[in-house]
Amino acid sequence: MAKVSASGTNPYTKTGIRIVVAGDRGTGKSSLIATVEAKKFITNVPPVLPPTRLPDNFFSDFVPITIIDTSSRVVDDYKVAEELKQADAVVFTYACDEPSTLDRLSTFWLPKLCKLEVKVPVIVVGCKLDLKDENQNVSLERVMSPITEQFREIDTGIECSALKLRRIPEVFYCAQKAVLNPTGPLLNHKTLVLRPRCVRALKRIFILCDHDRDGALSDAELNDFQVKCMNSPLQPSEIVGVKCVVAEQLPEGVDERGLTLMGFLFLHTLFIKNGQTDAMWTVLRTFGYNNDIKLAEDLIPSSFKRAPDQSVELTNEAIEYLRGIVELELHNSNTLCVTRDGELGSHEIDDIFSTAAERKRHLDRKKQQTDRNVFQCFVFGPKKAGKSALLNSFLGRPFSDKYTSTIEDHYAVNVVDEPIGTKKTLVLREIPEDGVSKMLLDKESLAACDVAVFVHDSSNALSWERATELLVEVASHGKDTGFEVPCLIVAAKDDLDSFSMARLNSTRVSEDMGIVAPIPISTKFGDLNNVFLRIVSAAEHPHLSIPQTEAGRSLEQYQKLIDRTVVDFSDCVMV
């Protein structure tokens, strides 16, 4: 599966690559450069060569390469540092017949690169291989092991000979390859495990290739994957070989269905560790990832880029696809972490979430209707008002008297059946009381909101006062920023002792602000008074419940009204 076809120019590559060659005096820097350009050994080479440009077609990627030679003189240290800072890759040379020059890489040159904060691939090259002592029967891997352990930025180590024309082009091919197909974004050099972003990308690719959604890639699916990425099929014996390699080192990587996700990740880790980063990047780029392992922007039409008050909905086909994905992930505990109640965690949801059609909310309000199917409701209210209980009831969870303070946003998502038979998806987002002020510092904080609900404990005067303050704050923010939202008041805990004056005063406030009367509910007794259907209805007719914060009255007048109703409420409590 590591057959990478030379398919021409890589669409994600740089327009040119700058390779800087540095090292101690007499290690063969200039001869290395002169030989790769002339394709023959040059006897009289100047101490420092001018910039050398290799032909665009020197390698199959057709990327221009410029090689920069550097001086070894102390007086030129500043110039060398500046060249290193502009490098896309660095080639450090040592002389195979002088071990001390290899030591200098770890004691001087590589620390120098770190001090300059130059984070580019490094190729360590042993020049003058023809002069190496034949009695030193030490492998290159053994020679390089101590230095690569200390400096993880080293991509490759090579020994070459300009005189014998041995492995000269390979030096610069490896440097180019390290730039075009970098290891850093794929693998953590210290732990030698795939980086999280790479794992997420491979999970997505695996899911897309698992056509029957059984949690494994069959022989046919593996072959389809190979053809898509490498433009060549796998022979049956090659498929067997791939699965055998995985099974020998990771038994859970293969089962009776085929190659599992764990096996898929392991296989690509082997690609990287075996130096086949080009194969890995071919896979990623085939599925639309750029050099930062992010989906390329050109995959998303420009019309998809939404304004802050635009919504994004999934098509029915996308919903069915995601349903299958979620069922697969819940079934396969090795794929995603599952919470105690069988829900996907927020990180896992982010991994598999996809989007489709969009519509701007302010256009819906202008038309006084919407044909959208997904609505988001922000739930505000003071502590102990009953916000969390409202969300739990939306999910069908049993009522609990135990109080737990909400310290971060909570979400609940469910389907609401309308009387005419249609279904709407409603997302409730609970905003902690302490987080409201911070949220409203953002001008676009209400842009994604379709409805704002303000919950208060209908038996508590202070709860009503705070809920109304929040209503005024949010309504004013919406008016000031241009993101006005329909608002509803929910009088929770209707099962507790209620007071008629309180109900009348809250109704008076809602009428004065031009919104519907408070909706009394009791989550304890399950009397929800069609509150979720009412929320959806407000979202479908967004022009009807916009609070009137400026209709010939100032915010101070509203505050006086609130204060008066609180006094009335308190008087009722004392009677």
Side-chain angles (χ1 to χ4, degrees), residues 446 473-485 546-547 549-550:
L446 296 177
E473 288 178 28
V474 171
S476 301
H477 181 79
K479 182 70 175 179
D480 294 341
T481 60
F483 296 116
E484 296 175 290
V485 296
I546 303 292
T549 57
E550 293 185 44

Side-chain angles (χ1 to χ4, degrees), residues 465-480:
E465 178 183 4
R466 180 57 181 148
T468 313
E469 289 174 351
L470 291 171
L471 171 58
V472 172
E473 288 178 28
V474 171
S476 301
H477 181 79
K479 182 70 175 179
D480 294 341

Side-chain angles (χ1 to χ4, degrees), residues 26 37 50 65 71 89 211 221 249 333 361 382 385 396 444 450 482 487 503 519:
E37 180 187 29
I65 294 177
S71 171
H211 303 305
E221 289 167 339
Q249 302 186 54
S333 60
R361 289 174 172 81
E444 298 178 350
D450 293 299
C487 295
R503 184 82 53 86
I519 305 170

Side-chain angles (χ1 to χ4, degrees), residues 113-185:
L113 201 65
C114 294
K115 185 176 180 179
L116 292 172
E117 298 184 347
V118 175
K119 298 179 180 180
V120 298
V122 174
I123 312 298
V124 173
V125 179
C127 298
K128 305 183 181 182
L129 180 59
D130 53 287
L131 298 180
K132 186 175 182 179
D133 188 350
E134 296 181 356
N135 296 323
Q136 293 181 351
N137 190 19
V138 181
S139 67
L140 176 63
E141 182 179 357
R142 184 175 176 182
V143 170
M144 291 295 301
S145 180
I147 192 172
T148 54
E149 286 288 334
Q150 184 179 0
F151 299 96
R152 295 291 185 177
E153 58 268 36
I154 296 175
D155 190 272
T156 309
I158 304 175
E159 291 181 333
C160 67
S161 170
L163 179 64
K164 301 295 185 180
L165 302 181
R166 292 179 58 183
R167 305 187 73 181
I168 298 299
E170 188 175 344
V171 170
F172 299 98
Y173 173 77
C174 289
Q176 181 205 57
K177 177 183 170 184
V179 175
L180 300 184
N181 305 298
T183 305

Side-chain angles (χ1 to χ4, degrees), residues 100-111:
S100 62
T101 58
L102 176 60
D103 295 336
R104 280 270 296 171
L105 294 186
S106 57
T107 60
F108 177 77
W109 288 104
L110 285 161

Side-chain angles (χ1 to χ4, degrees), residues 192-477:
L192 298 181
V193 298
L194 295 175
R195 293 191 182 276
R197 186 177 294 178
C198 183
V199 171
R200 290 195 295 269
L202 289 175
K203 282 182 179 179
R204 171 180 172 266
I205 294 170
F206 179 88
I207 291 171
L208 292 175
C209 294
D210 184 18
H211 303 305
D212 58 9
R213 300 179 187 172
D214 67 346
L217 299 185
S218 64
D219 290 1
E221 289 167 339
L222 273 175
N223 191 59
D224 290 343
F225 168 75
Q226 170 76 12
V227 171
K228 182 179 180 66
C229 297
M230 311 300 178
N231 297 320
S232 63
L234 284 171
Q235 298 302 315
S237 60
E238 293 177 308
I239 295 178
V240 171
V242 167
K243 293 194 292 186
C244 285
V245 169
V246 174
E248 287 175 1
Q249 302 186 54
L250 187 73
E252 62 268 35
V254 178
D255 61 20
E256 67 280 359
R257 298 165 299 167
L259 190 70
T260 66
L261 173 61
M262 297 302 293
F264 189 73
L265 295 175
F266 177 76
L267 186 64
H268 286 83
T269 304
L270 285 183
F271 283 169
I272 302 171
K273 290 182 177 179
N274 292 337
Q276 297 174 299
T277 54
D278 48 351
M280 181 71 170
W281 279 108
T282 297
V283 170
L284 291 171
R285 288 162 179 155
T286 298
F287 284 88
Y289 289 94
N290 61 20
N291 288 349
D292 296 319
I293 317 185
K294 295 180 180 179
L295 285 174
E297 292 184 0
D298 57 4
L299 289 180
I300 304 176
S302 58
S303 60
F304 185 82
K305 294 182 179 180
R306 63 185 182 92
D309 68 336
Q310 282 181 298
S311 66
V312 178
E313 295 186 7
L314 300 180
T315 62
N316 290 334
E317 292 81 1
I319 292 173
E320 288 303 313
Y321 178 79
L322 287 177
R323 182 176 288 114
I325 296 301
V326 170
E327 290 173 354
L328 168 63
E329 308 304 4
L330 288 174
H331 177 73
N332 186 354
S333 60
N334 287 329
T335 302
L336 294 179
C337 298
V338 182
T339 59
R340 289 177 299 175
D341 52 1
E343 298 175 351
L344 296 179
S346 59
H347 295 296
E348 288 74 35
I349 291 174
D350 289 340
D351 283 343
I352 63 175
F353 187 78
S354 182
T355 54
E358 58 176 9
R359 176 180 293 277
K360 288 189 176 181
R361 289 174 172 81
H362 77 86
L363 296 180
D364 293 338
R365 292 166 194 151
K366 187 176 182 179
K367 295 191 310 179
Q368 300 188 356
Q369 64 178 1
T370 180
D371 56 2
R372 288 169 44 222
N373 297 306
V374 182
F375 301 107
Q376 180 167 207
C377 170
F378 287 9
V379 181
F380 297 93
K383 296 180 177 67
K384 298 185 178 182
K387 302 187 298 297
S388 297
L390 179 67
L391 268 69
N392 287 333
S393 67
F394 188 44
L395 298 175
R397 293 174 175 169
F399 175 80
S400 174
D401 286 315
K402 182 179 180 181
Y403 173 72
T404 303
S405 179
T406 301
I407 58 175
E408 59 182 11
D409 290 7
H410 283 179
Y411 292 82
V413 184
N414 210 337
V415 174
V416 177
D417 295 315
E418 295 187 303
I420 60 176
T422 57
K423 296 180 181 293
K424 302 293 183 180
T425 300
L426 179 61
V427 180
L428 298 182
R429 175 186 174 187
E430 179 184 355
I431 312 294
E433 179 186 3
D434 296 337
V436 175
S437 297
K438 182 178 179 180
M439 186 192 82
L440 296 182
L441 293 176
D442 181 1
K443 179 181 178 181
E444 298 178 350
S445 58
L446 296 177
C449 179
D450 293 299
V451 183
V453 166
F454 298 84
V455 183
H456 70 279
D457 179 349
S458 59
S459 69
N460 187 303
L462 295 178
S463 180
W464 157 246
E465 178 183 4
R466 180 57 181 148
T468 313
E469 289 174 351
L470 291 171
L471 171 58
V472 172
E473 288 178 28
V474 171
S476 301
H477 181 79

